[in-house]
Amino acid sequence: MDFTPIYTELLGFWYLIPLFLFVGLSRTPWFKGFMGEVQVNLAAKFLLDRKQYHLTKDVTLPTSGGTTQINTSFSLD
């Protein structure tokens, strides 16, 4: 049996593979956290005055259950 016509037809939809991968990845907690970090960093970079505020990233603090990681900005005044 010749599957060439089916294979050729499926190749016409090659662009759906990256789309499905992106949709699947965008629903993971890792991706949501990553996008949240990007939004906060961009907001801090463009909305806060560099002369007045300093952005500190990836600060690891000890807690009773282990550690927690935060990003923060603070005023230099």
Side-chain angles (χ1 to χ4, degrees):
M1 179 172 216
D2 185 20
F3 291 107
T4 305
I6 296 171
Y7 181 71
T8 305
E9 191 67 31
L10 288 175
L11 281 179
F13 297 105
W14 65 268
Y15 58 88
L16 292 177
I17 294 171
L19 178 67
F20 288 142
L21 288 173
F22 177 75
V23 169
L25 180 67
S26 69
R27 295 176 180 238
T28 63
W30 173 85
F31 186 79
K32 291 177 184 179
F34 175 75
M35 290 308 296
E37 293 267 341
V38 168
Q39 290 175 351
V40 168
N41 288 332
L42 286 175
K45 182 176 181 177
F46 292 113
L47 300 177
L48 296 178
D49 183 16
R50 288 184 184 181
K51 295 177 184 173
Q52 186 176 1
Y53 292 96
H54 178 74
L55 180 63
T56 305
K57 298 182 192 179
D58 299 329
V59 176
T60 303
L61 301 173
T63 64
S64 60
T67 60
T68 187
Q69 183 263 332
I70 63 169
N71 296 328
T72 184
S73 62
F74 59 89
S75 176
L76 297 174
D77 291 340

